[in-house]
Amino acid sequence: MTGPVPSRRRKLGWRAALVCAVLGGVALLLAWPRPEEDIHREIIAALRAELTPAMIAQALDAGDADGAELLAEAAELAGIGVPKPIADRLAAEMAPWKQAARKAADCGKGAVLGRAAGVAGIACSVVADMTLLGDVRDATVELSKPLRGEEPDSLILGLAAAGLVLEVAAPATGGASLGAKGGTAVLKVGAKSRLIARRLLDEVGGVLSSAIRPGPLKALAPADLADVPRLRRAMGESVDLRRLAPLTEAGTSLARIAEKGALGDAVMVARTARTLDDVKTAEKLASVFGKRTGAVLKVLGAKAFDLVALAVRLVWALLGLCFGALCWLVAGLIALRGMVRLIKRLFRPSSLVGS
């Protein structure tokens, strides 16, 4: 009756060890620092290393009051004091009537012409391009250029076609495609204003060249340009949504950035990003800094994307190492159990007597 008890105890002991190892892994996962914490720490350290109050004064001297305001926000975020003379100059430039005048001029240019020099103008142009008229306007302008002996801008035309198709697809996607349309509008306005990095524009152009079939567009007659339903139909026939996926994913990220912060933050991301991957990385940056995302990018530029990507990679790498070590521990315990049982069988008194 007492024979099986030690065996049962051994089994319970090994099971308890395994349970403890698993619980330890769970505790490690729960206590592990989140990527957001590492992102915040690295970005703040970089801001403190690179930002000085003199940069705010330089922006004011250059007439860039909006840029100076972003630098001041970054200084506040990093805990960097701004001398009173500089703070007073900034406050004078940020007077409501001065701000309104600057933004109204830039916004009017962006909404009417679809191109602007500042963030406010781009934001207003993006709002205009969120409607059907913005994409129709740009598509008509580009498609009518050959009539004047000019070469159409395939990038602008492709982004206008993508915007029209994403709007048409909105009912089928439950409105999800409208977020991507908003992001492509940011890219289109930035491209027209020449405020997006060449490398990013080249990548966007590569996606569009693979996703757009020019046949339906070339078949349009000059009279068709005034026929909005015919124009939309031709655009829909020319775009392959599956191949457009990298662009729509980046557009969705820009839309989420605007939701977490402001449209101006999404514009700053589009101005700073070097690749579509940078745009998706920026979504993690915006999840940490929200409406201060634009201020961070004003100081750090594309370096902010590298810091975010590095912080995320390090967290996952360390987590993988720790769980790898935990797996080796469990495997070692199991192997040790087998060795102990083998040794006990070899040196058991009954086996010695039999030999």
Side-chain angles (χ1 to χ4, degrees):
M1 295 293 292
T2 59
V5 174
S7 176
R8 189 179 299 113
R9 286 178 179 172
R10 282 196 298 272
K11 288 181 179 179
L12 289 173
W14 287 110
R15 288 174 182 169
L18 290 173
V19 169
C20 288
V22 171
L23 290 177
V26 173
L28 174 67
L29 181 61
L30 293 176
W32 194 263
R34 300 293 185 263
E36 290 79 6
E37 297 173 3
D38 286 345
I39 290 170
H40 188 274
R41 182 176 61 252
E42 293 297 327
I43 293 294
I44 294 300
L47 288 176
R48 288 172 180 165
E50 298 194 17
L51 178 60
T52 64
M55 294 169 64
I56 302 173
Q58 290 167 4
L60 290 171
D61 292 339
D64 184 11
D66 293 333
E69 184 182 27
L70 288 175
L71 291 170
E73 288 181 8
E76 181 183 357
L77 183 64
I80 298 172
V82 178
K84 190 174 185 302
I86 297 177
D88 289 343
R89 283 186 63 192
L90 179 62
E93 287 297 325
M94 289 297 108
W97 67 271
K98 280 191 175 183
Q99 272 190 307
R102 279 196 306 270
K103 292 182 177 178
D106 198 24
C107 189
K109 187 187 298 183
V112 175
L113 301 179
R115 63 185 74 230
V119 171
I122 295 176
C124 288
S125 183
V126 170
V127 171
D129 277 21
M130 281 296 292
T131 66
L132 172 68
L133 290 178
D135 288 321
V136 169
R137 174 200 62 205
D138 292 329
T140 303
V141 167
E142 297 304 326
L143 288 171
S144 63
K145 281 183 177 180
L147 301 177
R148 303 191 300 270
E150 300 176 16
E151 188 71 23
D153 188 325
S154 59
L155 182 65
I156 304 302
L157 180 57
L159 286 168
L164 283 169
V165 170
L166 289 170
E167 182 177 343
V168 171
T173 61
S177 64
L178 289 179
K181 174 181 168 58
T184 56
V186 172
L187 292 172
K188 176 156 65 75
V189 175
K192 287 188 293 185
S193 303
R194 301 294 185 265
L195 294 176
I196 294 183
R198 184 73 254 172
R199 183 178 168 189
L200 176 59
L201 288 179
D202 289 342
E203 187 176 355
V204 171
V207 173
L208 289 171
S209 65
S210 69
I212 293 182
R213 300 180 292 272
L217 297 178
K218 289 181 178 179
L220 288 171
D224 294 330
L225 300 182
D227 185 347
V228 174
R230 173 77 180 91
L231 183 61
R232 289 179 68 179
R233 188 161 56 253
M235 291 288 189
E237 293 170 355
S238 69
V239 178
D240 184 341
L241 278 175
R242 291 174 299 176
R243 293 188 176 184
L244 200 66
L247 183 59
T248 56
E249 288 170 5
T252 301
S253 291
L254 284 172
R256 288 173 180 161
I257 291 166
E259 289 174 3
K260 292 169 183 173
L263 185 53
D265 296 311
V267 171
M268 284 294 292
V269 168
R271 293 180 66 174
T272 311
R274 301 155 299 187
T275 64
L276 292 175
D277 283 340
D278 277 351
V279 174
K280 288 184 277 189
T281 300
E283 192 177 343
K284 296 183 179 67
L285 182 70
S287 69
V288 177
F289 291 99
K291 294 184 178 180
R292 298 293 178 88
T293 302
V296 169
L297 293 175
K298 179 66 178 176
V299 179
L300 300 180
K303 181 180 178 181
F305 306 136
D306 297 333
L307 290 173
V308 170
L310 179 61
V312 173
R313 283 199 301 269
L314 284 176
V315 166
W316 284 108
L318 289 172
L319 191 60
L321 284 174
C322 288
F323 272 98
L326 182 64
C327 291
W328 277 107
L329 174 62
V330 173
L333 289 173
I334 294 173
L336 180 61
R337 175 190 180 191
M339 290 177 62
V340 169
R341 292 178 65 181
L342 178 61
I343 291 171
K344 285 185 176 181
R345 279 201 302 269
L346 290 174
F347 293 96
R348 191 178 298 162
S350 58
S351 63
L352 293 175
V353 171
S355 63

